[in-house]
PDB file of all heavy atoms in Angstrom:
ATOM      1  N   PHE A   1       0.817  -1.195   0.000  1.00  0.00           N
ATOM      2  CA  PHE A   1       0.000   0.000   0.000  1.00  0.00           C
ATOM      3  C   PHE A   1       0.860   1.258   0.000  1.00  0.00           C
ATOM      4  O   PHE A   1       0.517   2.248  -0.658  1.00  0.00           O
ATOM      5  CB  PHE A   1      -0.940   0.006   1.206  1.00  0.00           C
ATOM      6  CG  PHE A   1      -1.812   1.222   1.280  1.00  0.00           C
ATOM      7  CD1 PHE A   1      -2.957   1.326   0.515  1.00  0.00           C
ATOM      8  CD2 PHE A   1      -1.482   2.276   2.120  1.00  0.00           C
ATOM      9  CE1 PHE A   1      -3.767   2.451   0.577  1.00  0.00           C
ATOM     10  CE2 PHE A   1      -2.280   3.408   2.196  1.00  0.00           C
ATOM     11  CZ  PHE A   1      -3.420   3.491   1.415  1.00  0.00           C
ATOM     12  N   ASP A   2       1.972   1.217   0.720  1.00  0.00           N
ATOM     13  CA  ASP A   2       2.843   2.385   0.817  1.00  0.00           C
ATOM     14  C   ASP A   2       3.574   2.700  -0.483  1.00  0.00           C
ATOM     15  O   ASP A   2       4.231   3.739  -0.589  1.00  0.00           O
ATOM     16  CB  ASP A   2       3.868   2.196   1.940  1.00  0.00           C
ATOM     17  CG  ASP A   2       3.258   2.335   3.319  1.00  0.00           C
ATOM     18  OD1 ASP A   2       2.134   2.867   3.426  1.00  0.00           O
ATOM     19  OD2 ASP A   2       3.905   1.920   4.300  1.00  0.00           O
ATOM     20  N   ASP A   3       3.485   1.811  -1.453  1.00  0.00           N
ATOM     21  CA  ASP A   3       4.069   2.087  -2.759  1.00  0.00           C
ATOM     22  C   ASP A   3       3.200   3.030  -3.579  1.00  0.00           C
ATOM     23  O   ASP A   3       3.623   3.488  -4.646  1.00  0.00           O
ATOM     24  CB  ASP A   3       4.296   0.791  -3.541  1.00  0.00           C
ATOM     25  CG  ASP A   3       5.360  -0.089  -2.920  1.00  0.00           C
ATOM     26  OD1 ASP A   3       6.356   0.447  -2.412  1.00  0.00           O
ATOM     27  OD2 ASP A   3       5.192  -1.328  -2.941  1.00  0.00           O
ATOM     28  N   THR A   4       2.005   3.295  -3.116  1.00  0.00           N
ATOM     29  CA  THR A   4       1.127   4.229  -3.801  1.00  0.00           C
ATOM     30  C   THR A   4       1.778   5.606  -3.853  1.00  0.00           C
ATOM     31  O   THR A   4       2.132   6.181  -2.826  1.00  0.00           O
ATOM     32  CB  THR A   4      -0.228   4.324  -3.097  1.00  0.00           C
ATOM     33  OG1 THR A   4      -0.898   3.066  -3.169  1.00  0.00           O
ATOM     34  CG2 THR A   4      -1.105   5.385  -3.739  1.00  0.00           C
ATOM     35  N   ALA A   5       1.941   6.123  -5.053  1.00  0.00           N
ATOM     36  CA  ALA A   5       2.623   7.393  -5.233  1.00  0.00           C
ATOM     37  C   ALA A   5       2.576   7.784  -6.701  1.00  0.00           C
ATOM     38  O   ALA A   5       2.197   6.988  -7.564  1.00  0.00           O
ATOM     39  CB  ALA A   5       4.079   7.302  -4.769  1.00  0.00           C
ATOM     40  N   VAL A   6       2.972   9.011  -6.953  1.00  0.00           N
ATOM     41  CA  VAL A   6       3.250   9.430  -8.315  1.00  0.00           C
ATOM     42  C   VAL A   6       4.713   9.135  -8.584  1.00  0.00           C
ATOM     43  O   VAL A   6       5.589   9.571  -7.832  1.00  0.00           O
ATOM     44  CB  VAL A   6       2.953  10.923  -8.532  1.00  0.00           C
ATOM     45  CG1 VAL A   6       3.308  11.338  -9.951  1.00  0.00           C
ATOM     46  CG2 VAL A   6       1.488  11.219  -8.252  1.00  0.00           C
ATOM     47  N   TYR A   7       4.968   8.387  -9.624  1.00  0.00           N
ATOM     48  CA  TYR A   7       6.319   7.992  -9.967  1.00  0.00           C
ATOM     49  C   TYR A   7       6.837   8.878 -11.095  1.00  0.00           C
ATOM     50  O   TYR A   7       6.183   9.030 -12.129  1.00  0.00           O
ATOM     51  CB  TYR A   7       6.365   6.523 -10.389  1.00  0.00           C
ATOM     52  CG  TYR A   7       6.239   5.569  -9.234  1.00  0.00           C
ATOM     53  CD1 TYR A   7       5.049   5.453  -8.532  1.00  0.00           C
ATOM     54  CD2 TYR A   7       7.326   4.788  -8.831  1.00  0.00           C
ATOM     55  CE1 TYR A   7       4.933   4.592  -7.450  1.00  0.00           C
ATOM     56  CE2 TYR A   7       7.215   3.922  -7.757  1.00  0.00           C
ATOM     57  CZ  TYR A   7       6.023   3.831  -7.073  1.00  0.00           C
ATOM     58  OH  TYR A   7       5.923   2.966  -6.007  1.00  0.00           O
ATOM     59  N   TYR A   8       8.019   9.442 -10.880  1.00  0.00           N
ATOM     60  CA  TYR A   8       8.613  10.370 -11.830  1.00  0.00           C
ATOM     61  C   TYR A   8       9.888   9.794 -12.429  1.00  0.00           C
ATOM     62  O   TYR A   8      10.764   9.320 -11.705  1.00  0.00           O
ATOM     63  CB  TYR A   8       8.953  11.699 -11.157  1.00  0.00           C
ATOM     64  CG  TYR A   8       7.761  12.452 -10.626  1.00  0.00           C
ATOM     65  CD1 TYR A   8       7.316  12.265  -9.322  1.00  0.00           C
ATOM     66  CD2 TYR A   8       7.075  13.362 -11.424  1.00  0.00           C
ATOM     67  CE1 TYR A   8       6.228  12.958  -8.828  1.00  0.00           C
ATOM     68  CE2 TYR A   8       5.988  14.061 -10.941  1.00  0.00           C
ATOM     69  CZ  TYR A   8       5.567  13.856  -9.637  1.00  0.00           C
ATOM     70  OH  TYR A   8       4.482  14.554  -9.152  1.00  0.00           O
ATOM     71  N   CYS A   9       9.984   9.866 -13.711  1.00  0.00           N
ATOM     72  CA  CYS A   9      11.208   9.478 -14.392  1.00  0.00           C
ATOM     73  C   CYS A   9      12.211  10.618 -14.325  1.00  0.00           C
ATOM     74  O   CYS A   9      11.839  11.797 -14.402  1.00  0.00           O
ATOM     75  CB  CYS A   9      10.908   9.124 -15.849  1.00  0.00           C
ATOM     76  SG  CYS A   9      12.347   8.582 -16.807  1.00  0.00           S
ATOM     77  N   TYR A  10      13.476  10.262 -14.192  1.00  0.00           N
ATOM     78  CA  TYR A  10      14.551  11.241 -14.085  1.00  0.00           C
ATOM     79  C   TYR A  10      15.688  10.860 -15.012  1.00  0.00           C
ATOM     80  O   TYR A  10      15.997   9.680 -15.192  1.00  0.00           O
ATOM     81  CB  TYR A  10      15.056  11.304 -12.639  1.00  0.00           C
ATOM     82  CG  TYR A  10      16.409  11.963 -12.495  1.00  0.00           C
ATOM     83  CD1 TYR A  10      16.532  13.342 -12.450  1.00  0.00           C
ATOM     84  CD2 TYR A  10      17.561  11.198 -12.405  1.00  0.00           C
ATOM     85  CE1 TYR A  10      17.764  13.952 -12.319  1.00  0.00           C
ATOM     86  CE2 TYR A  10      18.806  11.796 -12.271  1.00  0.00           C
ATOM     87  CZ  TYR A  10      18.902  13.173 -12.227  1.00  0.00           C
ATOM     88  OH  TYR A  10      20.130  13.772 -12.094  1.00  0.00           O
ATOM     89  N   ALA A  11      16.322  11.871 -15.574  1.00  0.00           N
ATOM     90  CA  ALA A  11      17.495  11.633 -16.400  1.00  0.00           C
ATOM     91  C   ALA A  11      18.440  12.812 -16.299  1.00  0.00           C
ATOM     92  O   ALA A  11      18.004  13.967 -16.209  1.00  0.00           O
ATOM     93  CB  ALA A  11      17.109  11.403 -17.859  1.00  0.00           C
ATOM     94  N   ARG A  12      19.719  12.502 -16.294  1.00  0.00           N
ATOM     95  CA  ARG A  12      20.744  13.533 -16.356  1.00  0.00           C
ATOM     96  C   ARG A  12      21.466  13.414 -17.689  1.00  0.00           C
ATOM     97  O   ARG A  12      22.036  12.366 -18.004  1.00  0.00           O
ATOM     98  CB  ARG A  12      21.736  13.417 -15.205  1.00  0.00           C
ATOM     99  CG  ARG A  12      22.952  14.336 -15.356  1.00  0.00           C
ATOM    100  CD  ARG A  12      23.723  14.486 -14.067  1.00  0.00           C
ATOM    101  NE  ARG A  12      22.976  15.293 -13.110  1.00  0.00           N
ATOM    102  CZ  ARG A  12      23.476  15.706 -11.944  1.00  0.00           C
ATOM    103  NH1 ARG A  12      24.710  15.371 -11.606  1.00  0.00           N
ATOM    104  NH2 ARG A  12      22.728  16.427 -11.129  1.00  0.00           N
ATOM    105  N   ASP A  13      21.425  14.491 -18.457  1.00  0.00           N
ATOM    106  CA  ASP A  13      22.062  14.532 -19.756  1.00  0.00           C
ATOM    107  C   ASP A  13      23.370  15.300 -19.629  1.00  0.00           C
ATOM    108  O   ASP A  13      23.375  16.439 -19.154  1.00  0.00           O
ATOM    109  CB  ASP A  13      21.141  15.195 -20.784  1.00  0.00           C
ATOM    110  CG  ASP A  13      21.614  14.996 -22.206  1.00  0.00           C
ATOM    111  OD1 ASP A  13      22.253  13.959 -22.483  1.00  0.00           O
ATOM    112  OD2 ASP A  13      21.329  15.869 -23.046  1.00  0.00           O
ATOM    113  N   VAL A  14      24.449  14.666 -20.035  1.00  0.00           N
ATOM    114  CA  VAL A  14      25.772  15.255 -19.892  1.00  0.00           C
ATOM    115  C   VAL A  14      26.313  15.619 -21.262  1.00  0.00           C
ATOM    116  O   VAL A  14      26.542  14.753 -22.111  1.00  0.00           O
ATOM    117  CB  VAL A  14      26.743  14.298 -19.184  1.00  0.00           C
ATOM    118  CG1 VAL A  14      28.136  14.911 -19.110  1.00  0.00           C
ATOM    119  CG2 VAL A  14      26.232  13.974 -17.795  1.00  0.00           C
ATOM    120  N   VAL A  15      26.532  16.908 -21.462  1.00  0.00           N
ATOM    121  CA  VAL A  15      27.125  17.390 -22.705  1.00  0.00           C
ATOM    122  C   VAL A  15      28.644  17.263 -22.633  1.00  0.00           C
ATOM    123  O   VAL A  15      29.300  16.841 -23.570  1.00  0.00           O
ATOM    124  CB  VAL A  15      26.729  18.851 -22.983  1.00  0.00           C
ATOM    125  CG1 VAL A  15      27.374  19.356 -24.267  1.00  0.00           C
ATOM    126  CG2 VAL A  15      25.216  18.980 -23.053  1.00  0.00           C
ATOM    127  N   ALA A  16      29.177  17.647 -21.504  1.00  0.00           N
ATOM    128  CA  ALA A  16      30.593  17.534 -21.215  1.00  0.00           C
ATOM    129  C   ALA A  16      30.730  17.410 -19.709  1.00  0.00           C
ATOM    130  O   ALA A  16      29.736  17.506 -18.976  1.00  0.00           O
ATOM    131  CB  ALA A  16      31.368  18.736 -21.748  1.00  0.00           C
ATOM    132  N   SER A  17      31.940  17.218 -19.245  1.00  0.00           N
ATOM    133  CA  SER A  17      32.151  17.043 -17.819  1.00  0.00           C
ATOM    134  C   SER A  17      31.730  18.268 -17.010  1.00  0.00           C
ATOM    135  O   SER A  17      31.478  18.159 -15.806  1.00  0.00           O
ATOM    136  CB  SER A  17      33.622  16.712 -17.542  1.00  0.00           C
ATOM    137  OG  SER A  17      34.479  17.755 -17.976  1.00  0.00           O
ATOM    138  N   ILE A  18      31.657  19.403 -17.653  1.00  0.00           N
ATOM    139  CA  ILE A  18      31.264  20.627 -16.967  1.00  0.00           C
ATOM    140  C   ILE A  18      29.817  21.014 -17.212  1.00  0.00           C
ATOM    141  O   ILE A  18      29.340  22.011 -16.661  1.00  0.00           O
ATOM    142  CB  ILE A  18      32.168  21.808 -17.383  1.00  0.00           C
ATOM    143  CG1 ILE A  18      32.051  22.071 -18.880  1.00  0.00           C
ATOM    144  CG2 ILE A  18      33.609  21.542 -16.976  1.00  0.00           C
ATOM    145  CD1 ILE A  18      32.763  23.329 -19.340  1.00  0.00           C
ATOM    146  N   SER A  19      29.105  20.241 -18.006  1.00  0.00           N
ATOM    147  CA  SER A  19      27.727  20.585 -18.359  1.00  0.00           C
ATOM    148  C   SER A  19      26.811  19.379 -18.210  1.00  0.00           C
ATOM    149  O   SER A  19      26.868  18.448 -19.012  1.00  0.00           O
ATOM    150  CB  SER A  19      27.646  21.121 -19.782  1.00  0.00           C
ATOM    151  OG  SER A  19      28.432  22.295 -19.933  1.00  0.00           O
ATOM    152  N   GLY A  20      25.971  19.408 -17.193  1.00  0.00           N
ATOM    153  CA  GLY A  20      24.989  18.371 -16.974  1.00  0.00           C
ATOM    154  C   GLY A  20      23.635  18.993 -16.699  1.00  0.00           C
ATOM    155  O   GLY A  20      23.535  19.982 -15.973  1.00  0.00           O
ATOM    156  N   TYR A  21      22.596  18.410 -17.270  1.00  0.00           N
ATOM    157  CA  TYR A  21      21.254  18.953 -17.130  1.00  0.00           C
ATOM    158  C   TYR A  21      20.308  17.858 -16.656  1.00  0.00           C
ATOM    159  O   TYR A  21      20.347  16.730 -17.151  1.00  0.00           O
ATOM    160  CB  TYR A  21      20.761  19.545 -18.449  1.00  0.00           C
ATOM    161  CG  TYR A  21      21.627  20.673 -18.950  1.00  0.00           C
ATOM    162  CD1 TYR A  21      22.674  20.430 -19.818  1.00  0.00           C
ATOM    163  CD2 TYR A  21      21.394  21.982 -18.536  1.00  0.00           C
ATOM    164  CE1 TYR A  21      23.482  21.463 -20.268  1.00  0.00           C
ATOM    165  CE2 TYR A  21      22.192  23.017 -18.984  1.00  0.00           C
ATOM    166  CZ  TYR A  21      23.233  22.761 -19.848  1.00  0.00           C
ATOM    167  OH  TYR A  21      24.033  23.785 -20.288  1.00  0.00           O
ATOM    168  N   ASP A  22      19.444  18.220 -15.711  1.00  0.00           N
ATOM    169  CA  ASP A  22      18.486  17.281 -15.139  1.00  0.00           C
ATOM    170  C   ASP A  22      17.117  17.456 -15.774  1.00  0.00           C
ATOM    171  O   ASP A  22      16.656  18.582 -15.981  1.00  0.00           O
ATOM    172  CB  ASP A  22      18.369  17.482 -13.629  1.00  0.00           C
ATOM    173  CG  ASP A  22      19.656  17.169 -12.901  1.00  0.00           C
ATOM    174  OD1 ASP A  22      20.466  16.384 -13.430  1.00  0.00           O
ATOM    175  OD2 ASP A  22      19.849  17.705 -11.795  1.00  0.00           O
ATOM    176  N   TYR A  23      16.462  16.332 -16.051  1.00  0.00           N
ATOM    177  CA  TYR A  23      15.140  16.352 -16.658  1.00  0.00           C
ATOM    178  C   TYR A  23      14.206  15.435 -15.889  1.00  0.00           C
ATOM    179  O   TYR A  23      14.615  14.408 -15.351  1.00  0.00           O
ATOM    180  CB  TYR A  23      15.209  15.910 -18.125  1.00  0.00           C
ATOM    181  CG  TYR A  23      16.010  16.847 -18.991  1.00  0.00           C
ATOM    182  CD1 TYR A  23      17.362  16.623 -19.212  1.00  0.00           C
ATOM    183  CD2 TYR A  23      15.420  17.966 -19.570  1.00  0.00           C
ATOM    184  CE1 TYR A  23      18.110  17.491 -19.994  1.00  0.00           C
ATOM    185  CE2 TYR A  23      16.161  18.832 -20.352  1.00  0.00           C
ATOM    186  CZ  TYR A  23      17.509  18.585 -20.559  1.00  0.00           C
ATOM    187  OH  TYR A  23      18.242  19.455 -21.336  1.00  0.00           O
ATOM    188  N   TRP A  24      12.937  15.820 -15.866  1.00  0.00           N
ATOM    189  CA  TRP A  24      11.911  15.074 -15.157  1.00  0.00           C
ATOM    190  C   TRP A  24      10.711  14.830 -16.055  1.00  0.00           C
ATOM    191  O   TRP A  24      10.324  15.686 -16.850  1.00  0.00           O
ATOM    192  CB  TRP A  24      11.442  15.841 -13.919  1.00  0.00           C
ATOM    193  CG  TRP A  24      12.494  16.004 -12.871  1.00  0.00           C
ATOM    194  CD1 TRP A  24      13.386  17.022 -12.754  1.00  0.00           C
ATOM    195  CD2 TRP A  24      12.753  15.105 -11.792  1.00  0.00           C
ATOM    196  NE1 TRP A  24      14.193  16.819 -11.660  1.00  0.00           N
ATOM    197  CE2 TRP A  24      13.827  15.657 -11.051  1.00  0.00           C
ATOM    198  CE3 TRP A  24      12.183  13.906 -11.373  1.00  0.00           C
ATOM    199  CZ2 TRP A  24      14.344  15.039  -9.912  1.00  0.00           C
ATOM    200  CZ3 TRP A  24      12.692  13.282 -10.247  1.00  0.00           C
ATOM    201  CH2 TRP A  24      13.758  13.853  -9.530  1.00  0.00           C
ATOM    202  N   GLY A  25      10.116  13.655 -15.906  1.00  0.00           N
ATOM    203  CA  GLY A  25       8.875  13.374 -16.588  1.00  0.00           C
ATOM    204  C   GLY A  25       7.703  13.999 -15.856  1.00  0.00           C
ATOM    205  O   GLY A  25       7.844  14.557 -14.765  1.00  0.00           O
ATOM    206  N   GLN A  26       6.528  13.910 -16.452  1.00  0.00           N
ATOM    207  CA  GLN A  26       5.330  14.481 -15.852  1.00  0.00           C
ATOM    208  C   GLN A  26       4.813  13.668 -14.673  1.00  0.00           C
ATOM    209  O   GLN A  26       4.056  14.184 -13.854  1.00  0.00           O
ATOM    210  CB  GLN A  26       4.226  14.616 -16.903  1.00  0.00           C
ATOM    211  CG  GLN A  26       4.510  15.675 -17.957  1.00  0.00           C
ATOM    212  CD  GLN A  26       4.545  17.067 -17.382  1.00  0.00           C
ATOM    213  OE1 GLN A  26       3.689  17.446 -16.573  1.00  0.00           O
ATOM    214  NE2 GLN A  26       5.547  17.846 -17.777  1.00  0.00           N
ATOM    215  N   GLY A  27       5.215  12.419 -14.590  1.00  0.00           N
ATOM    216  CA  GLY A  27       4.785  11.551 -13.514  1.00  0.00           C
ATOM    217  C   GLY A  27       3.642  10.646 -13.930  1.00  0.00           C
ATOM    218  O   GLY A  27       2.809  11.008 -14.754  1.00  0.00           O
ATOM    219  N   THR A  28       3.622   9.465 -13.343  1.00  0.00           N
ATOM    220  CA  THR A  28       2.546   8.518 -13.583  1.00  0.00           C
ATOM    221  C   THR A  28       2.058   7.983 -12.242  1.00  0.00           C
ATOM    222  O   THR A  28       2.849   7.625 -11.375  1.00  0.00           O
ATOM    223  CB  THR A  28       2.998   7.374 -14.513  1.00  0.00           C
ATOM    224  OG1 THR A  28       1.901   6.493 -14.775  1.00  0.00           O
ATOM    225  CG2 THR A  28       4.146   6.573 -13.907  1.00  0.00           C
ATOM    226  N   GLN A  29       0.753   7.947 -12.079  1.00  0.00           N
ATOM    227  CA  GLN A  29       0.157   7.527 -10.816  1.00  0.00           C
ATOM    228  C   GLN A  29       0.170   6.010 -10.694  1.00  0.00           C
ATOM    229  O   GLN A  29      -0.262   5.300 -11.609  1.00  0.00           O
ATOM    230  CB  GLN A  29      -1.277   8.041 -10.702  1.00  0.00           C
ATOM    231  CG  GLN A  29      -2.017   7.577  -9.450  1.00  0.00           C
ATOM    232  CD  GLN A  29      -1.491   8.227  -8.191  1.00  0.00           C
ATOM    233  OE1 GLN A  29      -1.303   9.441  -8.150  1.00  0.00           O
ATOM    234  NE2 GLN A  29      -1.248   7.425  -7.159  1.00  0.00           N
ATOM    235  N   VAL A  30       0.655   5.536  -9.562  1.00  0.00           N
ATOM    236  CA  VAL A  30       0.586   4.123  -9.216  1.00  0.00           C
ATOM    237  C   VAL A  30      -0.219   4.003  -7.932  1.00  0.00           C
ATOM    238  O   VAL A  30       0.139   4.597  -6.913  1.00  0.00           O
ATOM    239  CB  VAL A  30       1.980   3.501  -9.023  1.00  0.00           C
ATOM    240  CG1 VAL A  30       1.856   2.063  -8.514  1.00  0.00           C
ATOM    241  CG2 VAL A  30       2.760   3.542 -10.328  1.00  0.00           C
TER     242      VAL A  30
END
């Protein structure tokens, strides 16, 4: 039951060692 939550996907995109960007999905209800 405690697994009930909105689950969000995450990704870090690395252009170079000095440039990293974080991205998030809209979320999906479980």
Side-chain angles (χ1 to χ4, degrees):
F1 179 80
D2 286 344
D3 293 323
T4 296
V6 178
Y7 285 69
Y8 297 91
C9 181
Y10 163 82
R12 171 165 288 187
D13 193 30
V14 177
V15 179
S17 61
I18 61 172
S19 300
Y21 300 92
D22 296 335
Y23 296 93
W24 295 90
Q26 291 295 316
T28 183
Q29 176 71 47
V30 174

